[in-house]
Amino acid sequence: MKFTQKLPLILLFSTLLASGLVQASTGLSCTTDDDCTSRYYCSDEECVHEDPTFTEPLDLIGYLFVFLFAVLATAAGVGGGVFFVPIYMLLLGFEPKSAVALSNITICPSLIIRFLLVYRRRHPSKNSPLIDYDIALLFSPCIILGTVFGVLLNRILPTLAILVLIAVVLSISAKKTFQKGLNLFRR
């Protein structure tokens, strides 16, 4: 079996593993399960998201969507966080902060797989690698700084502010993606 044929299985496994390993908490204190919202339970006086179950229809649909979008995003060469965050929040019931973290964990295997599929390929018109490593090195410090800044904001901002930022970023991203797709379709 070729590596590209194993890709969907690897993405499915990594998605399920990421969702199972991350114990998402709201940071809300509790004394009983009744103090927590649905899909959360009280553990050590903190509301924690329940483990994924595949008996609930919403869970099955949510993880199926995550898997399908992971495959599509990897094939398209993009991360897919625009799709994962709303799925984790709306279908799987995660709080915004946890949904962002799960999205990042879900994207990571896709990016590694995409790199492994592309790193040896050559540019079609130039005699150079398809990946421009100089530009990657140029952007890396900015990406790391943005990640650190984003993690700090995720920790200090209230949930409502995170929701507003997610809505703004996803709206802008969706608009740009739609416009680019429309332009490509017209060609």
Side-chain angles (χ1 to χ4, degrees), residues 1-12 67 70-72 74-75 110 112-119 121:
M1 184 182 247
K2 287 180 158 180
F3 181 74
T4 53
Q5 293 171 329
K6 294 179 187 175
L7 178 64
L9 295 174
I10 293 168
L11 288 173
L12 176 63
F67 169 70
V71 171
L72 291 173
T74 301
S110 301
I112 292 169
I113 289 167
R114 186 70 185 164
F115 173 76
L116 292 174
L117 291 173
V118 177
Y119 83 99
R121 294 177 62 189

Side-chain angles (χ1 to χ4, degrees), residues 121-181:
R121 294 177 62 189
R122 307 293 291 172
H123 192 278
S125 60
K126 300 184 223 173
N127 188 21
S128 65
L130 188 58
I131 299 172
D132 190 340
Y133 293 102
D134 292 333
I135 289 184
L137 287 173
L138 180 69
F139 281 114
S140 292
C142 298
I143 292 169
I144 292 169
L145 183 63
T147 301
V148 170
F149 185 67
V151 168
L152 289 174
L153 282 179
N154 199 21
R155 287 187 173 207
I156 62 173
L157 289 178
T159 302
L160 182 62
I162 298 292
L163 278 173
V164 169
L165 286 173
I166 287 172
V168 168
V169 169
L170 292 180
S171 298
I172 292 168
S173 181
K175 180 183 174 198
K176 286 184 176 185
T177 302
F178 180 74
Q179 286 174 337
K180 186 171 184 174

Side-chain angles (χ1 to χ4, degrees), residues 2-141:
K2 287 180 158 180
F3 181 74
T4 53
Q5 293 171 329
K6 294 179 187 175
L7 178 64
L9 295 174
I10 293 168
L11 288 173
L12 176 63
F13 177 73
S14 64
T15 300
L16 297 177
L17 182 67
S19 299
L21 290 178
V22 173
Q23 186 123 68
S25 67
T26 62
L28 298 175
S29 59
C30 60
T31 53
T32 66
D33 290 344
D34 294 335
D35 297 337
C36 303
T37 59
S38 67
R39 296 180 161 254
Y40 283 80
Y41 64 93
C42 190
S43 174
D44 297 327
E45 297 183 359
E46 187 175 22
C47 294
V48 177
H49 195 280
E50 60 191 24
D51 291 335
T53 62
F54 300 102
T55 56
E56 296 290 325
L58 215 49
D59 283 354
L60 288 171
I61 291 168
Y63 288 113
L64 179 66
F65 277 155
V66 168
F67 169 70
L68 291 175
F69 283 118
V71 171
L72 291 173
T74 301
V78 296
V82 172
F83 304 112
F84 298 139
V85 172
I87 291 170
Y88 281 128
M89 287 174 54
L90 299 175
L91 293 179
L92 299 173
F94 286 96
E95 296 291 321
K97 294 179 181 190
S98 300
V100 170
L102 279 169
S103 172
N104 290 334
I105 290 172
T106 305
I107 290 169
C108 187
S110 301
L111 296 177
I112 292 169
I113 289 167
R114 186 70 185 164
F115 173 76
L116 292 174
L117 291 173
V118 177
Y119 83 99
R120 288 187 185 169
R121 294 177 62 189
R122 307 293 291 172
H123 192 278
S125 60
K126 300 184 223 173
N127 188 21
S128 65
L130 188 58
I131 299 172
D132 190 340
Y133 293 102
D134 292 333
I135 289 184
L137 287 173
L138 180 69
F139 281 114
S140 292

